[in-house]
Amino acid sequence: MREPADTKVLPSTPVEKLRLYAVFALFSLGFLYVVGGLAYRQLIQSNDLKEQSDNQSRRIVLRPPARGRIYDRNGFVLVDNRARWSVKADLAALQKEIRVEYLRLLAAERARQAVQVDTERVMELARVNVLQGWLNKVWFVIDEDQRKSARKPAPGKATPLDPPGERKVNIEELRKHLRERRALPFTLVADLAFPAANLPAGPDEGVKAVARFIEQFPVEGPIRLESDIIRTYPHGGMAAHVLGYVKDSDELPPNVEDIAEVRSETLQKLRQTGKTGAAGVELSFNHVLKGLSGWELWTKTSSGYNQTRLKYSEPVQGSNIALSLDLRIQRTTERALAEIKDTQGVPLPAAAVMLDVHTGEILALASQPTFDPNRLAGRITAADYDEVEKSGAWLNRATQGLYPPGSTFKIITAMAGMRRKVVDWDDILECGAFYRVGDRDFPEHEPVGYGDVDLDKMLAISCNVWNYQVGLRAGPDALAAEARRFGLDAPLLESSASPDADGPTITELPYPASRGLVVPDRDYKLRIKAGPWQDGDTANFSIGQGYLLTSPLHMAAFAASLARGETRTVPTIIHDPSRDGRHRGSTPIGLNKAQLDAIRGGMVRCVEEGTGRSARIPGLPIAAKTGTSEYFKNREKAHLAWMIGYAPADRPVVAFCVLVEGQLDTNTWGGKTAGPVVKQMLETWAGTGEQPAAEPAR
């Protein structure tokens, strides 16, 4: 269309020109800003942006290492590792199948004219249905009994349509897995060798189950067979309180920051379930046994699943540990303790220790009842935990049990009397049926008394009245000081680099008795608000009763010290062939030869003709002291049976202590009850008894 002839173009006003300049300037600044920003990011921030992008699309998967093995002093394996074959589901590969099931369930929900559909719940149900379907197939393949009865199910027999608890997908575990470890495969069957409590399976059945799975399931399918390493205890519950057990751990290992590829704080790190020590040597030496984790660098999908592995590093197995235990002596000790039973045929609670007199190395350390750490190597079930709790097996009675030592303490009373010069080795004291202290008669365990008694005879027959007199003459402070000289109130199993080291120490077994140890004196009784100290307290103290509390390990260490003529023995559970036999804080015993010979001679008589005759072994001289002390069980008095000592008596090599907790309906006495255990321990040590079979390490 042609413009009219009279149309005129008017010149721009100054205001309009300024507006045009302003728009042009703003546009130019914006353009420069965009170009500058792009240049800054491309030239200066490119490395940082690339790292952020990589961190958002990559992750590290940490792989736990195999733990180190634990051996006995002779190289026999006490704790090992075995391959565990697990059936796992690749959730990323199952996404299409889960999506189809999700849409089916969603359509069913909408068909019911639901006002509002919970899509999250529907998705969870879809995952569970798909995984349960695959789990049913897995069980049908690996359970030979189920396949045989598939055509004619027996009444009450579980089928894939009605699986028992261990054959169902654990919804809580699935939720936790998706929340914390979505990229890793989800475990359907944790262990094909031991897949369920109600499926009898052993090594042979486990191999067959693995073979059946490999035959029926493709290698690259969504349901795969993976292997890892699990802790195994080949001797079951033997030495369980020493060895301990392991538990699952999802914590990142301490060596993560030493790996260059994972140092970025923003890089996501996932860890396959590893193991950490939960008790015993597994816990106290976890830093030695655990090893170094390996790692895998993966790219990941937008859904959070692993896509491509870029780099990897193999884990490094933990270091091995050699314990001072002797497998043969340990096994004999536990068998001997198991033979001591109550009226219902249940083994009595008990503890036993054998030490190397010179080095303090523990050759045997047993506590009864015990537990099987193999049952705790995976996830501990509530039933397993409650069973151990109910039996009292968590308590290591050898190191944590606190008991009055009874007549075994009479050796210390005699030492205190001789060091205070209130009695000597050849003094004869009149010992009747009781000894009167104030207005109370303290009895002898022999109703008619023993008449004239010297130190040698006192130890052989375990005379009470002799010790009442000596203890009252020496006084409670002297008794307490003598007990403390031998460390009855001092923590044990704390090791360092050398006997003279002043640095930090390592507690070799967790939670040893320390706070509960009691060597009483006048101040102690006032502290517990039990009133002032009385002479009757001293009389009880002199025969190892009253407030006095110590552990079987302490009494074994005392016996070893006495055998060497010193005051301290530092026991250890670690074997070291170069250990020189020096003991921290040990001093000469402080008795002359005649006094020390009298004590040792009385202990030999105790076995040859006295209260410890049940431990006698022809051809092996043994020095020992029995003890029977009282303790309260269900507010009623029961008896503790003790025996401590060393052998051979003329050239000591090993020291021992046995304790048995009597029950209200049992007749428990030191020599009668503990003596047979000592005899079997010493026969195995000397090689004269039945030698339990053991397989050497390979």
Side-chain angles (χ1 to χ4, degrees):
M1 180 176 179
R2 196 171 175 180
E3 293 182 358
D6 58 347
T7 300
K8 295 181 179 180
V9 178
L10 300 175
S12 300
T13 64
V15 173
E16 290 175 333
K17 289 183 178 181
L18 288 175
R19 288 176 179 173
L20 289 174
Y21 293 151
V23 170
F24 179 76
L26 290 174
F27 177 80
S28 300
L29 289 174
F31 180 78
L32 291 175
Y33 176 79
V34 171
V35 171
L38 291 173
Y40 178 75
R41 283 164 174 73
Q42 292 292 326
L43 300 177
I44 299 176
Q45 287 189 323
S46 59
N47 291 334
D48 293 339
L49 293 173
K50 183 178 183 302
E51 182 178 353
Q52 291 179 17
S53 174
D54 289 342
N55 288 342
Q56 291 175 357
S57 62
R58 298 185 306 170
R59 67 158 55 93
I60 283 286
V61 176
L62 298 166
R63 299 171 56 196
R67 292 173 69 82
R69 295 183 178 88
I70 302 177
Y71 298 92
D72 87 331
R73 66 189 301 108
N74 299 311
F76 294 109
V77 176
L78 299 177
V79 184
D80 205 346
N81 303 300
R82 69 171 176 87
R84 175 174 64 178
W85 294 94
S86 305
V87 178
K88 298 188 177 183
D90 185 346
L91 296 179
L94 290 172
Q95 283 303 294
K96 184 179 292 185
E97 191 173 339
I98 292 172
R99 180 67 179 174
V100 170
E101 177 66 8
Y102 168 75
L103 293 175
R104 185 187 71 80
L105 293 174
L106 190 63
E109 285 288 317
R110 289 173 175 169
R112 285 198 293 267
Q113 298 180 354
V115 177
Q116 185 174 2
V117 177
D118 186 347
T119 56
E120 290 293 329
R121 186 188 64 81
V122 173
M123 176 57 75
E124 179 179 85
L125 184 59
R127 292 193 186 102
V128 171
N129 288 351
V130 170
L131 291 173
Q132 186 64 57
W134 282 105
L135 183 57
N136 293 340
K137 295 176 185 178
V138 170
W139 273 102
F140 186 77
V141 168
I142 68 175
D143 187 349
E144 190 172 12
D145 292 338
Q146 181 175 299
R147 289 189 293 113
K148 289 179 179 179
S149 61
R151 295 182 179 179
K152 296 180 180 180
K157 177 71 175 179
T159 69
L161 299 178
D162 183 25
E166 64 272 4
R167 303 191 186 195
K168 292 181 180 179
V169 174
N170 189 315
I171 297 179
E172 290 301 323
E173 288 293 328
L174 179 60
R175 289 171 181 166
K176 181 179 179 182
H177 181 88
L178 292 170
R179 187 170 59 250
E180 299 177 3
R181 295 196 297 270
R182 175 185 292 262
L184 303 179
F186 177 70
T187 301
L188 293 177
V189 180
D191 192 344
L192 282 183
F194 306 96
N198 69 338
L199 179 67
D204 293 339
E205 180 61 29
V207 171
K208 293 178 182 178
V210 171
R212 287 194 289 266
F213 181 92
I214 293 174
E215 181 183 4
Q216 296 295 325
F217 288 86
V219 176
E220 297 300 326
I223 307 301
R224 301 173 183 175
L225 193 63
E226 293 190 3
S227 67
D228 62 353
I229 301 299
I230 191 172
R231 209 62 161 157
T232 181
Y233 302 83
H235 305 288
M238 194 198 72
H241 292 92
V242 175
L243 303 175
Y245 61 95
V246 294
K247 63 181 180 180
D248 289 343
S249 173
D250 294 330
E251 295 180 3
L252 295 179
N255 67 305
V256 168
E257 297 306 322
D258 297 333
I259 303 171
E261 283 79 359
V262 302
R263 284 181 180 171
S264 172
E265 293 182 358
T266 59
L267 190 62
Q268 184 186 21
K269 303 175 185 69
L270 295 179
R271 186 178 188 220
Q272 296 175 348
T273 300
K275 297 293 181 181
T276 187
V281 170
E282 293 274 29
L283 173 59
S284 53
F285 289 90
N286 187 62
H287 60 289
V288 177
L289 295 166
K290 65 183 178 182
L292 298 175
S293 293
W295 54 270
E296 297 174 346
L297 181 63
W298 287 82
T299 59
K300 59 183 179 180
T301 67
S302 58
S303 300
Y305 297 104
N306 287 345
Q307 189 173 40
T308 305
R309 189 173 72 173
L310 303 177
K311 296 180 182 179
Y312 72 95
S313 176
E314 294 293 336
V316 178
Q317 182 171 356
S319 299
N320 300 329
I321 289 180
L323 300 185
S324 60
L325 294 181
D326 186 305
L327 174 61
R328 295 180 185 273
I329 301 175
Q330 180 74 26
R331 182 174 290 166
T332 294
T333 301
E334 298 198 15
R335 287 179 178 175
L337 290 178
E339 294 172 0
I340 307 173
K341 300 179 180 180
D342 63 15
T343 56
Q344 305 300 316
V346 178
L348 291 175
V353 181
M354 179 177 279
L355 300 175
D356 184 301
V357 162
H358 302 288
T359 65
E361 290 193 354
I362 299 172
L363 305 180
L365 191 150
S367 178
Q368 183 175 277
T370 186
F371 58 89
D372 186 354
N374 287 301
R375 296 178 62 181
L376 311 177
R379 291 188 180 275
I380 303 177
T381 66
D384 287 338
Y385 182 90
D386 291 342
E387 181 181 335
V388 178
E389 178 77 17
K390 184 178 180 180
S391 70
W394 291 126
L395 178 67
N396 184 348
R397 285 167 167 79
T399 63
Q400 299 171 327
L402 297 171
Y403 310 94
S407 294
T408 60
F409 188 79
K410 292 174 180 176
I411 303 172
I412 292 179
T413 299
M415 290 181 180
M418 289 188 289
R419 282 169 44 81
R420 284 295 180 102
K421 303 187 184 305
V422 299
V423 72
D424 208 350
W425 67 274
D426 56 353
D427 287 348
I428 296 176
L429 303 181
E430 176 64 29
C431 298
F434 61 88
Y435 189 77
R436 193 164 189 81
V437 180
D439 58 354
R440 178 182 171 188
D441 291 336
F442 283 75
E444 183 59 75
H445 59 78
E446 174 61 40
V448 298
Y450 289 106
D452 294 342
V453 178
D454 62 5
L455 174 59
D456 184 278
K457 182 178 179 181
M458 182 275 290
L459 292 172
I461 62 176
S462 196
C463 176
N464 285 341
V465 172
W466 191 96
N467 286 275
Y468 297 146
Q469 296 179 68
V470 173
L472 288 165
R473 294 178 190 179
D477 293 338
L479 297 178
E482 198 69 15
R484 293 188 182 112
R485 273 211 319 145
F486 286 94
L488 295 195
D489 64 340
L492 297 180
L493 293 175
E494 293 184 346
S495 64
S496 56
S498 71
D500 300 323
D502 295 326
T505 57
I506 298 173
T507 301
E508 295 182 358
L509 289 179
Y511 322 120
S514 54
R515 294 182 181 179
L517 296 166
V518 177
V519 173
D521 53 21
R522 302 177 194 276
D523 291 338
Y524 171 80
K525 192 175 180 185
L526 292 174
R527 284 200 306 274
I528 65 171
K529 299 180 180 179
W533 189 273
Q534 305 292 336
D535 286 343
D537 296 320
T538 305
N540 278 329
F541 192 3
S542 69
I543 61 169
Q545 293 277 181
Y547 301 104
L548 181 63
L549 292 174
T550 193
S551 78
L553 180 60
H554 281 80
M555 296 308 294
F558 164 67
S561 300
L562 176 60
R564 293 195 320 275
E566 298 179 4
T567 60
R568 292 294 177 97
T569 294
V570 180
T572 178
I573 201 67
I574 301 299
H575 179 50
D576 181 3
S578 65
R579 189 172 278 112
D580 59 14
R582 291 181 294 164
H583 296 271
R584 232 175 16 253
S586 186
T587 59
I589 206 165
L591 300 176
N592 61 42
K593 185 178 184 304
Q595 292 170 333
L596 194 53
D597 286 347
I599 289 177
R600 291 171 172 170
M603 294 175 68
V604 172
R605 283 187 63 186
C606 175
V607 177
E608 294 299 323
E609 59 186 74
T611 57
R613 291 190 301 275
S614 60
R616 185 169 48 192
I617 300 174
L620 179 63
I622 303 169
K625 181 70 188 76
T626 62
T628 304
S629 58
E630 295 179 344
Y631 80 112
F632 284 89
K633 184 176 183 64
N634 299 330
R635 298 185 178 182
E636 294 186 47
K637 286 184 180 180
H639 290 102
L640 301 169
W642 287 89
M643 181 176 277
I644 68 169
Y646 55 87
D650 51 350
R651 45 181 181 81
V653 177
V654 294
F656 54 82
C657 173
V658 173
L659 163 82
V660 180
E661 292 183 21
Q663 305 299 297
L664 299 177
D665 59 348
T666 59
N667 188 15
T668 309
W669 303 99
K672 175 184 175 182
T673 307
V677 179
V678 170
K679 181 176 182 178
Q680 293 184 54
M681 293 169 68
L682 290 175
E683 284 177 336
T684 299
W685 167 76
T688 60
E690 179 183 354
Q691 299 297 301
E695 294 295 329
R698 295 179 180 178

